[in-house]
Amino acid sequence: ICMRGSARRTWDSARNISTIDIAMEVGYVIALRHVFAWRAPMFRVDPVANHAAANPAGQALVDLETGRRWTYAQLHEAIDRLAAWLVAELGEGSGARVATLSKNCAEMLVLQLAAARAGAIFVPFNWRLAPAEVATLAADAEPAIVFHDADLPPPSPGRALPIASALELGRQ
């Protein structure tokens, strides 16, 4: 017996309804085809925003190398500002890739959370890789922007910005 199955999910945002089509095919006869829909609220879990609302003065982030500290309110503001800049540059919910080639730092965390808020895809490249390996990964990921450490050459082509400037983007 030859058996194949497929499923397709669609989302109607105007009606807030998710529909799943399921089809099972046995031989040449469709054995089951069922369509169902249900109402499910669409929400994005944002723990920083939640903590900023509940405990704005609480310590959220400490950069041990530099000693910089952020409260939840400050971190939420920094993420919002960078997310707004990413939306202005890439479009809202664009799915564009935003890459980093950087050692661990506070800017990298802010960038990761801002990319999620902006609807972009965060792509961290391992800074320990050889330049040729990073170039191969970048060619596959096709990032719109690469944030990098000053001592790490960004893969080309594409737009490259120093990661140290990430927290300043979007400031008026």
Side-chain angles (χ1 to χ4, degrees):
I1 295 175
C2 176
M3 189 178 212
R4 288 188 320 187
S6 66
R8 184 184 69 205
R9 180 175 184 195
T10 56
W11 178 256
D12 181 351
S13 59
R15 295 186 306 157
N16 201 26
I17 294 177
S18 180
T19 304
I20 298 180
D21 296 330
I22 301 172
M24 291 296 293
E25 188 176 317
V26 179
Y28 59 89
V29 178
I30 292 181
L32 170 70
R33 179 160 176 87
H34 183 71
V35 178
F36 57 96
W38 66 90
R39 292 199 173 268
M42 288 300 289
F43 61 92
R44 185 176 5 163
V45 176
D46 190 335
V48 175
N50 291 343
H51 282 289
N55 185 17
Q59 183 173 289
L61 178 63
V62 177
D63 188 333
L64 296 177
E65 188 172 325
T66 64
R68 294 177 298 171
R69 297 173 181 274
W70 286 266
T71 64
Y72 279 107
Q74 292 167 331
L75 182 60
H76 178 59
E77 179 186 337
I79 293 167
D80 258 358
R81 189 174 44 252
L82 186 52
W85 183 86
L86 288 171
V87 166
E89 293 293 312
L90 306 172
E92 186 173 1
S94 67
R97 289 158 186 84
V98 176
T100 59
L101 181 59
S102 168
K103 295 175 182 165
N104 292 342
C105 60
E107 290 85 358
M108 189 181 218
L109 176 65
V110 172
L111 183 60
Q112 179 181 8
L113 296 169
R117 282 190 190 175
I121 299 168
F122 180 71
V123 182
F125 295 135
N126 187 337
W127 64 272
R128 293 181 181 99
L129 294 176
E133 293 171 309
V134 173
T136 300
L137 293 172
D140 184 51
E142 299 177 344
I145 303 173
V146 177
F147 288 87
H148 64 95
D149 277 343
D151 60 338
L152 297 171
S156 59
R159 187 170 176 197
L161 296 170
I163 196 156
S165 71
L167 296 178
E168 298 304 317
L169 296 173
R171 288 190 191 267
Q172 299 298 335

